[in-house]
Amino acid sequence: MNLRSLLLLFALLIALPGVTHAKEVRLKKGEVYRDRNLAVVCEGGQSGSQGQTLSLRECQYWDDFDKKCLFEKTNYTYNDLECIDECQHWDSFNNTCDYQSKCTFYPRQEAFVLKTCAEFDDYSHKCLKVREEKIGAGK
């Protein structure tokens, strides 16, 4: 039962015959409303903000001579979870990123999957072995 159905049921119970005015109760996630033998618990359900992450970018590699950012990393947050897309293997000679980690967010699981390079070949500048790690509930 989702939050809307639960609130509709709650409204119908409040609007029983004999009640002369409507009552509205707004709950936040985790809050409980009690009225005699009725308890309504807000568990979050399907909200409009589900699946939305906040992303913040910052410079990971800075060129002091040209005063410019050579590579930006991105920090993703969702509730208290954090995942970072960053340059894992930097070529300082060419000032390029040879391998960048990658975060993918899965809203239904409320989790990120972080893809990193577990084994990198410096000669060919390629990732030989990729590793994926779940960041989230039930890790």
Side-chain angles (χ1 to χ4, degrees), residues 64-132:
D64 284 325
F65 182 75
D66 287 334
K67 304 290 186 209
K68 68 176 185 175
C69 184
L70 300 174
F71 186 85
E72 284 186 330
K73 67 180 182 177
T74 305
N75 300 339
Y76 296 97
T77 56
Y78 176 80
N79 294 335
D80 57 351
L81 302 177
E82 182 178 54
C83 190
I84 302 173
D85 279 349
E86 62 187 338
C87 183
Q88 191 177 356
H89 293 278
W90 180 256
D91 181 345
S92 57
F93 181 76
N94 293 315
N95 283 337
T96 58
C97 183
D98 287 335
Y99 188 86
Q100 178 181 351
S101 63
K102 177 69 178 152
C103 295
T104 305
F105 182 65
Y106 295 90
R108 288 181 170 239
Q109 291 80 17
E110 294 187 337
F112 289 100
V113 171
L114 174 62
K115 184 177 175 181
T116 58
C117 184
E119 188 177 333
F120 189 79
D121 181 356
D122 289 317
Y123 181 74
S124 67
H125 300 278
K126 292 186 180 176
C127 181
L128 303 176
K129 186 176 179 184
V130 172
R131 179 176 186 267
E132 292 185 332

Side-chain angles (χ1 to χ4, degrees), residues 30-47:
E31 288 185 326
V32 178
Y33 173 79
R34 296 183 194 283
D35 185 12
R36 289 179 240 146
N37 64 344
L38 172 68
V40 178
V41 180
C42 181
E43 294 180 344
Q46 303 286 334
S47 68

